[in-house]
C-alpha cells in the first residue's frame, strides 16, 4: 500500500449524487475471500431479480472466467489497449442480467496504464453502470493510487476482514489509508470466515477499539459470513454457493448481506 495520502486526481469528474450503485471491494490482507464474497453477493442480488455487473479490478476473482467455466475470449486488457469498448467485453453468466468484466489472471492491469486511461475507464464504467442495479468492482489487496482512485466513483467501499493478528493489523492500515484519502464516510466492513456470529462481532469490536485509539473513523458493520466447509466444495466444483448449497449458513449470511444493497 502506498504511503501517499493524496490521490493522483481528486474528485474525478463526478459528484456524490451520481454515485448510486457502484461498490468497491477491498481487503487489507491476502486470503480473506474478497473476490469470492463480491461474486457471491452479486449472485445473491441477481437471485433477487437485480441486474448486476461484476468488474474484475485486479486480474483475479479466481480468474473468474475459468472459475465459472465461461467461454470468454474478451478481457479488459483489450479495452486498455484500445482494441474494444467496455460494452464489447461484457460477458453474461447464465443469464443476461448477471454480467462480468474480467481480466487476465494475475495481470494488475489497472496499475499499469497512464492515469488518463484510468480516468476514461472510470468514466465509461460509470456510464455502463447506469444500466445495472448494482456494479461491484473487486480491487483486492494491492492498493495503489491508480486503482484506489476508482473509489471516487463508488457509493460503498466494502472492506473484507477475517481473524488473525496479521490480517487485523493490515485491515487497520487500510482503514487508516482510506481515512487519509477522505473515504471514511463511504466505508463498511464485512467479517468473513468467522467461526460464529459471536466470533465475528469480537473481531469487529477489536478492530473498532484499535481504530478509536488511532483517532480513526471506523466503518459500520455490513455483515458477517460464517466459516462453512461447503464453500470449499463449491469452489472445487466451480459452482456458486447459493446454487449448490442455498440452505447453508454461509449462503444465508450472503443473502442477508445482499439485502443491504437493495
Amino acid at each position: 500500500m502506498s504511503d501517499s495520502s493524496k490521490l493522483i486526481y481528486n474528485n474525478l469528474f463526478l459528484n456524490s449524487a451520481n454515485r448510486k450503485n457502484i461498490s468497491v471491494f477491498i481487503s487489507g490482507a491476502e486470503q480473506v475471500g474478497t473476490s469470492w464474497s463480491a461474486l457471491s453477493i452479486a449472485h445473491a442480488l441477481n437471485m433477487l431479480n437485480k441486474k448486476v455487473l461484476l468488474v474484475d479490478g485486479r486480474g483475479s476473482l479466481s480468474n473468474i472466467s475459468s472459475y465459472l467455466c465461461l467461454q470468454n475470449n474478451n478481457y479488459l486488457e483489450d479495452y486498455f489497449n484500445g482494441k474494444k469498448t467496455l460494452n464489447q467485453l461484457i460477458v453474461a453468466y447464465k443469464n443476461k442480467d448477471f454480467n462480468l468484466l474480467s481480466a487476465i489472471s494475475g495481470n494488475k492491469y489497472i496499475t499499469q496504464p497512464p492515469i488518463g486511461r484510468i480516468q476514461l475507464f472510470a468514466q465509461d464504467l460509470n456510464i455502463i453502470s447506469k444500466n445495472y442495479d448494482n456494479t461491484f468492482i473487486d480491487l483486492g489487496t494491492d492498493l495503489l493510487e491508480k486503482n484506489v482512485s476508482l473509489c471516487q466513483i463508488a457509493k460503498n467501499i466494502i472492506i473484507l476482514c477475517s481473524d488473525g493478528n496479521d490480517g487485523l493489523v493490515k485491515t487497520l492500515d487500510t482503514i487508516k489509508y482510506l481515512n487519509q484519502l477522505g473515504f471514511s464516510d463511504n466505508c463498511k466492513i464485512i467479517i468473513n470466515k468467522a467461526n460464529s456470529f459471536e466470533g465475528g462481532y469480537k473481531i469487529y469490536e477489536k478492530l473498532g477499539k484499535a481504530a478509536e485509539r488511532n483517532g480513526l473513523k471506523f466503518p459500520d458493520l455490513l455483515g458477517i459470513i460464517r466459516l462453512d466447509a461447503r464453500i470449499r466444495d463449491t469452489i472445487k466444483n466451480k459452482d456458486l454457493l447459493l446454487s449448490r448449497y442455498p440452505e447453508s449458513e454461509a449462503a444465508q449470511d450472503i443473502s442477508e448481506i445482499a439485502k443491504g444493497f437493495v
Side-chain angles (χ1 to χ4, degrees), residues 1-4 24-29 58 108 111 138-149 151 157 159 170-171 173-175 177-178 181:
M1 184 183 301
S2 171
D3 292 330
S4 172
V24 170
F25 283 71
I26 63 177
S27 62
R58 58 170 174 159
K108 299 175 182 178
T111 63
D138 173 37
L139 288 188
T141 59
D142 192 14
L143 305 182
L144 302 171
E145 286 90 345
K146 284 184 181 178
N147 58 2
V148 172
S149 289
C151 290
I157 302 169
I159 304 170
K170 290 181 178 178
T171 300
D173 287 342
T174 299
I175 293 170
Y177 184 51
L178 294 172
L181 295 176

Side-chain angles (χ1 to χ4, degrees), residues 230-245:
R230 281 160 291 192
I231 294 174
R232 181 176 294 181
D233 177 76
T234 301
I235 293 173
K236 180 180 178 181
N237 286 279
K238 295 191 174 183
D239 204 351
L240 294 177
L241 185 66
L242 272 73
S243 294
R244 194 173 182 85
Y245 297 112

Side-chain angles (χ1 to χ4, degrees), residues 55-173:
V55 183
D56 182 353
R58 58 170 174 159
S60 184
L61 288 173
S62 300
N63 192 353
I64 187 170
S65 297
S66 173
Y67 174 69
L68 298 177
C69 299
L70 296 175
Q71 298 300 315
N72 178 26
N73 295 317
N74 296 316
Y75 295 102
L76 281 163
E77 285 77 4
D78 287 337
Y79 169 84
F80 284 96
N81 292 333
K83 296 178 181 179
K84 294 185 178 181
T85 66
L86 284 185
N87 275 324
Q88 292 174 315
L89 299 174
I90 290 174
V91 177
Y93 174 63
K94 290 194 173 181
N95 67 68
K96 65 181 181 179
D97 291 332
F98 189 175
N99 291 173
L100 312 171
L101 281 169
S102 59
I104 297 172
S105 181
N107 187 355
K108 299 175 182 178
Y109 69 93
I110 289 184
T111 63
Q112 296 170 350
I115 192 62
R117 177 59 62 178
I118 303 298
Q119 186 170 6
L120 288 173
F121 175 58
Q123 288 176 322
D124 290 344
L125 190 57
N126 183 64
I127 292 170
I128 288 177
S129 293
K130 293 177 182 178
N131 298 319
Y132 296 87
D133 296 303
N134 296 91
T135 295
F136 291 161
I137 308 172
D138 173 37
L139 288 188
T141 59
D142 192 14
L143 305 182
L144 302 171
E145 286 90 345
K146 284 184 181 178
N147 58 2
V148 172
S149 289
L150 290 177
C151 290
Q152 291 178 105
I153 65 170
K155 177 182 179 181
N156 300 302
I157 302 169
I158 313 302
I159 304 170
L160 268 289
C161 175
S162 60
D163 203 0
N165 287 333
D166 185 56
L168 292 177
V169 169
K170 290 181 178 178
T171 300
L172 187 64
D173 287 342

Side-chain angles (χ1 to χ4, degrees), residues 46-64:
N46 183 242
M47 293 178 71
L48 293 172
N49 298 316
K50 299 298 181 181
K51 190 171 183 180
V52 183
L53 175 65
L54 181 58
V55 183
D56 182 353
R58 58 170 174 159
S60 184
L61 288 173
S62 300
N63 192 353
I64 187 170

